[in-house]
Amino acid sequence: MAKFVLLNCRLYAVAADLTGASNKIEIAAEVEDKESTNYLSNGYKELLPGLGSAEFTGEGQWEAGDPSLVDNASWAQLGGVGPWTACPDGATVGALAWFTSAMRSGYQLGGAVGDVAPWTGTAKSSWPLVRGVIGHPAGTARTSTGTGTAQQLGAVPAGKRLYAALHVLSVAGTTPSITARIESDNAVGFPSPTTQATFTAATAAGGEILRTNGSAIADDWWRVAWTISGTTPSFMFATSLGIR
């Protein structure tokens, strides 16, 4: 990705697409430095990596009145833990995505007279921050069972994990249900797909993040698949996936 101007960022907070109410999105990651200096350190400090953490911060224009809007979503999520995904330049399949499981730790609203009503919010990580890709775009409604686009993310070495986040943004229909899963294979055509992670069946807007158990996975192709049931069901959802 070459240098570019931030014009098309995306922000998904659990079950809310906050893109249209955001004008600033920041992601920070750090690892504590723990000093281990001793008499054999040759006069220089020695440091060891401690605990890691990540933080999502957003701000923009305040809106309320619907569960999908920033005030309703922020208040409902305050103190709760769920998936957060941010994309620096669009959220098409394969677009760069940063995501984690995070606790909504802060929410502020209000400003000075004459201001466009603002909001700011913070979410702090409960899991590692993952640099991955979008597996399914939020702008594509799904009404029947199907599979997403295959992406060659690579194999998962022992000790690392495949992480996947699901944001169910809207649900319509009578008794609608969607069960999404992450599949892998060793070929782009998925002749023998293996399910590596399955999300809980969703019947309403919400979010979930999963990871594999740390065992090696030799397959290097990955995709999102989903099973939909109900009468005239329709789901808008986004997924992000990556290896860390």
Side-chain angles (χ1 to χ4, degrees), residues 1 4 8-12 27 85-99 130-139 149-153 163 165 224 238-243:
M1 180 182 290
F4 68 103
N8 196 26
C9 297
R10 295 288 188 269
L11 178 61
Y12 305 112
I27 304 170
T85 298
C87 303
D89 189 22
T92 57
V93 172
L96 177 62
W98 295 87
F99 65 99
V130 180
R131 184 182 188 274
V133 298
I134 291 294
H136 184 274
T149 303
Q151 299 187 74
Q152 194 173 25
L153 298 181
Y163 289 77
V224 181
T239 61
S240 48
L241 57 158
I243 298 169

Short mmCIF file of all heavy atoms in Angstrom, two decimals, residues 1 4 8-12 27 85-99 130-139 149-153 163 165 224 238-243:
data_model
loop_
_atom_site.label_atom_id
_atom_site.label_comp_id
_atom_site.label_asym_id
_atom_site.label_seq_id
_atom_site.Cartn_x
_atom_site.Cartn_y
_atom_site.Cartn_z
N MET A 1 0.85 -1.19 0.00
CA MET A 1 0.00 0.00 0.00
C MET A 1 0.89 1.24 0.00
O MET A 1 1.71 1.42 0.89
CB MET A 1 -0.92 0.00 1.23
CG MET A 1 -1.83 1.20 1.31
SD MET A 1 -2.86 1.21 2.81
CE MET A 1 -3.98 -0.14 2.46
N PHE A 4 -0.97 7.47 1.20
CA PHE A 4 -2.31 7.91 0.81
C PHE A 4 -2.86 8.85 1.88
O PHE A 4 -2.33 8.97 2.98
CB PHE A 4 -3.25 6.72 0.62
CG PHE A 4 -3.57 5.99 1.91
CD1 PHE A 4 -4.79 6.16 2.54
CD2 PHE A 4 -2.65 5.11 2.48
CE1 PHE A 4 -5.09 5.50 3.71
CE2 PHE A 4 -2.94 4.44 3.65
CZ PHE A 4 -4.17 4.63 4.27
N ASN A 8 -11.08 7.29 3.55
CA ASN A 8 -12.04 6.19 3.40
C ASN A 8 -11.86 5.15 4.50
O ASN A 8 -11.96 3.95 4.24
CB ASN A 8 -11.85 5.54 2.02
CG ASN A 8 -13.00 4.66 1.61
OD1 ASN A 8 -14.13 4.85 2.06
ND2 ASN A 8 -12.73 3.68 0.77
N CYS A 9 -11.60 5.60 5.73
CA CYS A 9 -11.43 4.67 6.85
C CYS A 9 -12.77 4.02 7.19
O CYS A 9 -13.83 4.56 6.90
CB CYS A 9 -10.90 5.38 8.08
SG CYS A 9 -9.26 6.09 7.88
N ARG A 10 -12.69 2.86 7.82
CA ARG A 10 -13.88 2.15 8.28
C ARG A 10 -13.70 1.78 9.74
O ARG A 10 -12.59 1.45 10.17
CB ARG A 10 -14.12 0.88 7.46
CG ARG A 10 -14.43 1.14 5.99
CD ARG A 10 -15.85 1.72 5.86
NE ARG A 10 -16.27 1.81 4.48
CZ ARG A 10 -16.10 2.86 3.70
NH1 ARG A 10 -15.45 3.91 4.18
NH2 ARG A 10 -16.53 2.87 2.46
N LEU A 11 -14.79 1.81 10.51
CA LEU A 11 -14.73 1.44 11.92
C LEU A 11 -15.98 0.64 12.29
O LEU A 11 -17.10 1.14 12.17
CB LEU A 11 -14.64 2.69 12.80
CG LEU A 11 -14.62 2.43 14.32
CD1 LEU A 11 -13.41 1.59 14.71
CD2 LEU A 11 -14.63 3.75 15.09
N TYR A 12 -15.76 -0.60 12.71
CA TYR A 12 -16.84 -1.47 13.17
C TYR A 12 -16.62 -1.76 14.65
O TYR A 12 -15.58 -2.30 15.03
CB TYR A 12 -16.87 -2.77 12.37
CG TYR A 12 -16.95 -2.55 10.88
CD1 TYR A 12 -15.89 -2.89 10.05
CD2 TYR A 12 -18.09 -1.99 10.30
CE1 TYR A 12 -15.96 -2.68 8.68
CE2 TYR A 12 -18.16 -1.77 8.93
CZ TYR A 12 -17.09 -2.12 8.12
OH TYR A 12 -17.16 -1.90 6.78
N ILE A 27 -5.44 3.94 16.26
CA ILE A 27 -5.12 2.65 16.88
C ILE A 27 -3.73 2.77 17.48
O ILE A 27 -2.80 3.25 16.81
CB ILE A 27 -5.14 1.50 15.85
CG1 ILE A 27 -6.49 1.45 15.13
CG2 ILE A 27 -4.86 0.17 16.53
CD1 ILE A 27 -6.48 0.51 13.95
N THR A 85 -12.97 -3.58 14.70
CA THR A 85 -12.20 -3.67 13.46
C THR A 85 -12.09 -2.28 12.84
O THR A 85 -13.10 -1.58 12.72
CB THR A 85 -12.87 -4.62 12.45
OG1 THR A 85 -12.93 -5.94 13.01
CG2 THR A 85 -12.09 -4.67 11.14
N ALA A 86 -10.88 -1.90 12.45
CA ALA A 86 -10.66 -0.63 11.76
C ALA A 86 -9.87 -0.89 10.49
O ALA A 86 -8.92 -1.68 10.48
CB ALA A 86 -9.91 0.35 12.65
N CYS A 87 -10.26 -0.19 9.43
CA CYS A 87 -9.59 -0.32 8.13
C CYS A 87 -9.12 1.07 7.69
O CYS A 87 -9.93 2.00 7.67
CB CYS A 87 -10.53 -0.89 7.08
SG CYS A 87 -11.25 -2.48 7.50
N PRO A 88 -7.86 1.23 7.31
CA PRO A 88 -7.37 2.55 6.93
C PRO A 88 -7.86 3.04 5.59
O PRO A 88 -7.89 4.25 5.35
CB PRO A 88 -5.85 2.38 6.94
CG PRO A 88 -5.63 0.92 6.71
CD PRO A 88 -6.79 0.22 7.37
N ASP A 89 -8.25 2.12 4.69
CA ASP A 89 -8.63 2.56 3.35
C ASP A 89 -9.64 1.60 2.74
O ASP A 89 -9.32 0.74 1.94
CB ASP A 89 -7.40 2.65 2.45
CG ASP A 89 -7.70 3.31 1.11
OD1 ASP A 89 -8.70 4.04 1.01
OD2 ASP A 89 -6.94 3.07 0.15
N GLY A 90 -10.90 1.75 3.14
CA GLY A 90 -11.96 0.92 2.59
C GLY A 90 -12.04 -0.44 3.26
O GLY A 90 -11.13 -0.86 3.98
N ALA A 91 -13.16 -1.12 3.02
CA ALA A 91 -13.38 -2.42 3.66
C ALA A 91 -13.89 -3.45 2.65
O ALA A 91 -14.79 -4.23 2.93
CB ALA A 91 -14.37 -2.28 4.81
N THR A 92 -13.30 -3.43 1.46
CA THR A 92 -13.59 -4.47 0.48
C THR A 92 -12.87 -5.75 0.89
O THR A 92 -11.98 -5.74 1.76
CB THR A 92 -13.14 -4.05 -0.92
OG1 THR A 92 -11.73 -3.74 -0.88
CG2 THR A 92 -13.90 -2.82 -1.39
N VAL A 93 -13.23 -6.86 0.28
CA VAL A 93 -12.57 -8.13 0.59
C VAL A 93 -11.07 -8.00 0.33
O VAL A 93 -10.65 -7.53 -0.74
CB VAL A 93 -13.16 -9.27 -0.26
CG1 VAL A 93 -12.34 -10.55 -0.08
CG2 VAL A 93 -14.60 -9.52 0.13
N GLY A 94 -10.27 -8.39 1.30
CA GLY A 94 -8.82 -8.31 1.18
C GLY A 94 -8.22 -7.01 1.65
O GLY A 94 -6.99 -6.89 1.71
N ALA A 95 -9.06 -6.02 2.00
CA ALA A 95 -8.53 -4.73 2.47
C ALA A 95 -7.85 -4.93 3.82
O ALA A 95 -8.25 -5.76 4.64
CB ALA A 95 -9.67 -3.72 2.60
N LEU A 96 -6.80 -4.14 4.06
CA LEU A 96 -6.08 -4.20 5.32
C LEU A 96 -7.01 -3.88 6.47
O LEU A 96 -7.78 -2.91 6.42
CB LEU A 96 -4.92 -3.20 5.30
CG LEU A 96 -4.10 -3.07 6.58
CD1 LEU A 96 -3.40 -4.38 6.93
CD2 LEU A 96 -3.08 -1.95 6.44
N ALA A 97 -6.94 -4.69 7.53
CA ALA A 97 -7.80 -4.49 8.70
C ALA A 97 -6.99 -4.75 9.96
O ALA A 97 -6.16 -5.66 10.01
CB ALA A 97 -9.00 -5.44 8.64
N TRP A 98 -7.23 -3.93 10.96
CA TRP A 98 -6.68 -4.13 12.29
C TRP A 98 -7.84 -4.45 13.21
O TRP A 98 -8.85 -3.73 13.22
CB TRP A 98 -5.97 -2.86 12.77
CG TRP A 98 -4.76 -2.50 11.96
CD1 TRP A 98 -4.72 -1.75 10.82
CD2 TRP A 98 -3.41 -2.87 12.23
NE1 TRP A 98 -3.43 -1.63 10.36
CE2 TRP A 98 -2.60 -2.31 11.22
CE3 TRP A 98 -2.79 -3.61 13.24
CZ2 TRP A 98 -1.22 -2.47 11.17
CZ3 TRP A 98 -1.42 -3.78 13.20
CH2 TRP A 98 -0.65 -3.21 12.18
N PHE A 99 -7.72 -5.51 14.02
CA PHE A 99 -8.86 -5.86 14.87
C PHE A 99 -8.39 -6.55 16.14
O PHE A 99 -7.28 -7.07 16.24
CB PHE A 99 -9.85 -6.75 14.11
CG PHE A 99 -9.33 -8.11 13.71
CD1 PHE A 99 -9.63 -9.23 14.46
CD2 PHE A 99 -8.58 -8.28 12.55
CE1 PHE A 99 -9.18 -10.49 14.09
CE2 PHE A 99 -8.12 -9.54 12.16
CZ PHE A 99 -8.43 -10.64 12.93
N VAL A 130 -4.48 -7.65 16.00
CA VAL A 130 -4.15 -8.48 14.83
C VAL A 130 -4.16 -7.61 13.58
O VAL A 130 -5.08 -6.81 13.37
CB VAL A 130 -5.16 -9.63 14.68
CG1 VAL A 130 -4.81 -10.49 13.47
CG2 VAL A 130 -5.19 -10.49 15.95
N ARG A 131 -3.14 -7.78 12.76
CA ARG A 131 -3.09 -7.13 11.45
C ARG A 131 -3.53 -8.18 10.43
O ARG A 131 -2.84 -9.17 10.20
CB ARG A 131 -1.69 -6.64 11.14
CG ARG A 131 -1.56 -5.86 9.82
CD ARG A 131 -0.11 -5.45 9.59
NE ARG A 131 0.05 -4.56 8.46
CZ ARG A 131 0.20 -4.95 7.19
NH1 ARG A 131 0.20 -6.24 6.90
NH2 ARG A 131 0.34 -4.05 6.22
N GLY A 132 -4.70 -7.97 9.83
CA GLY A 132 -5.24 -8.96 8.92
C GLY A 132 -5.93 -8.32 7.73
O GLY A 132 -5.52 -7.25 7.25
N VAL A 133 -7.00 -8.95 7.28
CA VAL A 133 -7.74 -8.48 6.10
C VAL A 133 -9.23 -8.62 6.35
O VAL A 133 -9.67 -9.35 7.24
CB VAL A 133 -7.36 -9.27 4.84
CG1 VAL A 133 -5.88 -9.09 4.49
CG2 VAL A 133 -7.70 -10.75 4.99
N ILE A 134 -10.01 -7.93 5.53
CA ILE A 134 -11.46 -8.11 5.54
C ILE A 134 -11.79 -9.40 4.79
O ILE A 134 -11.35 -9.62 3.67
CB ILE A 134 -12.16 -6.91 4.88
CG1 ILE A 134 -12.01 -5.66 5.76
CG2 ILE A 134 -13.64 -7.22 4.63
CD1 ILE A 134 -12.72 -5.75 7.10
N GLY A 135 -12.58 -10.25 5.45
CA GLY A 135 -12.99 -11.51 4.83
C GLY A 135 -14.35 -11.43 4.16
O GLY A 135 -14.63 -12.18 3.22
N HIS A 136 -15.21 -10.54 4.66
CA HIS A 136 -16.52 -10.32 4.06
C HIS A 136 -16.88 -8.85 4.21
O HIS A 136 -16.75 -8.29 5.29
CB HIS A 136 -17.59 -11.18 4.73
CG HIS A 136 -18.94 -11.07 4.07
ND1 HIS A 136 -19.85 -10.08 4.38
CD2 HIS A 136 -19.51 -11.82 3.10
CE1 HIS A 136 -20.92 -10.23 3.63
NE2 HIS A 136 -20.75 -11.27 2.84
N PRO A 137 -17.32 -8.20 3.14
CA PRO A 137 -17.59 -6.76 3.18
C PRO A 137 -18.94 -6.45 3.80
O PRO A 137 -19.92 -7.17 3.59
CB PRO A 137 -17.55 -6.36 1.71
CG PRO A 137 -18.02 -7.59 0.99
CD PRO A 137 -17.50 -8.76 1.79
N ALA A 138 -19.01 -5.35 4.55
CA ALA A 138 -20.24 -4.99 5.25
C ALA A 138 -21.36 -4.58 4.30
O ALA A 138 -22.53 -4.66 4.65
CB ALA A 138 -19.96 -3.86 6.23
N GLY A 139 -21.03 -4.13 3.11
CA GLY A 139 -22.04 -3.59 2.21
C GLY A 139 -22.77 -4.61 1.37
O GLY A 139 -23.56 -4.24 0.50
N THR A 149 -14.96 -15.05 -0.52
CA THR A 149 -13.80 -15.11 -1.40
C THR A 149 -12.61 -15.74 -0.69
O THR A 149 -12.30 -15.40 0.46
CB THR A 149 -13.43 -13.70 -1.86
OG1 THR A 149 -14.56 -13.10 -2.49
CG2 THR A 149 -12.25 -13.72 -2.83
N ALA A 150 -11.92 -16.65 -1.35
CA ALA A 150 -10.74 -17.29 -0.79
C ALA A 150 -9.57 -16.32 -0.76
O ALA A 150 -9.37 -15.55 -1.71
CB ALA A 150 -10.37 -18.52 -1.62
N GLN A 151 -8.79 -16.37 0.31
CA GLN A 151 -7.63 -15.50 0.46
C GLN A 151 -6.45 -16.32 0.98
O GLN A 151 -6.61 -17.13 1.90
CB GLN A 151 -7.94 -14.36 1.42
CG GLN A 151 -9.08 -13.48 0.93
CD GLN A 151 -9.27 -12.26 1.79
OE1 GLN A 151 -8.48 -11.31 1.73
NE2 GLN A 151 -10.30 -12.27 2.61
N GLN A 152 -5.30 -16.10 0.40
CA GLN A 152 -4.11 -16.86 0.78
C GLN A 152 -3.37 -16.13 1.90
O GLN A 152 -2.39 -15.43 1.67
CB GLN A 152 -3.20 -17.09 -0.42
CG GLN A 152 -2.15 -18.16 -0.18
CD GLN A 152 -1.36 -18.49 -1.43
OE1 GLN A 152 -1.26 -17.68 -2.35
NE2 GLN A 152 -0.82 -19.70 -1.50
N LEU A 153 -3.80 -16.35 3.12
CA LEU A 153 -3.18 -15.71 4.27
C LEU A 153 -1.90 -16.42 4.70
O LEU A 153 -1.07 -15.84 5.38
CB LEU A 153 -4.15 -15.69 5.45
CG LEU A 153 -5.45 -14.92 5.26
CD1 LEU A 153 -6.27 -14.98 6.53
CD2 LEU A 153 -5.18 -13.48 4.87
N TYR A 163 -7.05 -15.65 13.96
CA TYR A 163 -8.06 -14.85 14.64
C TYR A 163 -9.12 -14.44 13.63
O TYR A 163 -8.81 -14.15 12.47
CB TYR A 163 -7.44 -13.59 15.24
CG TYR A 163 -6.55 -13.82 16.43
CD1 TYR A 163 -5.25 -14.31 16.28
CD2 TYR A 163 -6.99 -13.54 17.73
CE1 TYR A 163 -4.42 -14.52 17.38
CE2 TYR A 163 -6.17 -13.73 18.83
CZ TYR A 163 -4.89 -14.22 18.65
OH TYR A 163 -4.08 -14.43 19.74
N ALA A 165 -12.97 -12.08 13.44
CA ALA A 165 -14.00 -11.25 14.07
C ALA A 165 -15.22 -11.19 13.18
O ALA A 165 -15.11 -11.13 11.95
CB ALA A 165 -13.47 -9.84 14.34
N VAL A 224 -14.49 -17.17 4.56
CA VAL A 224 -15.66 -17.14 5.44
C VAL A 224 -16.79 -17.89 4.75
O VAL A 224 -16.98 -17.74 3.54
CB VAL A 224 -16.09 -15.70 5.74
CG1 VAL A 224 -17.29 -15.67 6.68
CG2 VAL A 224 -14.94 -14.90 6.31
N ALA A 238 -19.90 -8.04 8.57
CA ALA A 238 -18.52 -7.90 8.15
C ALA A 238 -17.67 -8.87 8.97
O ALA A 238 -17.96 -9.13 10.13
CB ALA A 238 -18.02 -6.46 8.38
N THR A 239 -16.63 -9.39 8.34
CA THR A 239 -15.68 -10.24 9.05
C THR A 239 -14.27 -9.78 8.74
O THR A 239 -13.97 -9.25 7.67
CB THR A 239 -15.81 -11.72 8.66
OG1 THR A 239 -15.53 -11.86 7.25
CG2 THR A 239 -17.18 -12.27 8.96
N SER A 240 -13.39 -9.96 9.72
CA SER A 240 -11.96 -9.73 9.54
C SER A 240 -11.22 -10.95 10.05
O SER A 240 -11.68 -11.61 10.99
CB SER A 240 -11.52 -8.46 10.28
OG SER A 240 -12.00 -8.45 11.61
N LEU A 241 -10.10 -11.27 9.42
CA LEU A 241 -9.33 -12.43 9.83
C LEU A 241 -7.85 -12.19 9.59
O LEU A 241 -7.45 -11.44 8.71
CB LEU A 241 -9.79 -13.70 9.15
CG LEU A 241 -9.83 -13.78 7.62
CD1 LEU A 241 -9.78 -15.24 7.18
CD2 LEU A 241 -11.08 -13.15 7.07
N GLY A 242 -7.04 -12.83 10.44
CA GLY A 242 -5.60 -12.68 10.34
C GLY A 242 -4.89 -13.67 11.23
O GLY A 242 -5.51 -14.32 12.08
N ILE A 243 -3.62 -13.81 11.02
CA ILE A 243 -2.79 -14.75 11.78
C ILE A 243 -1.82 -13.98 12.65
O ILE A 243 -1.17 -13.04 12.21
CB ILE A 243 -2.02 -15.68 10.81
CG1 ILE A 243 -2.99 -16.52 10.00
CG2 ILE A 243 -1.05 -16.58 11.58
CD1 ILE A 243 -2.36 -17.27 8.84
#
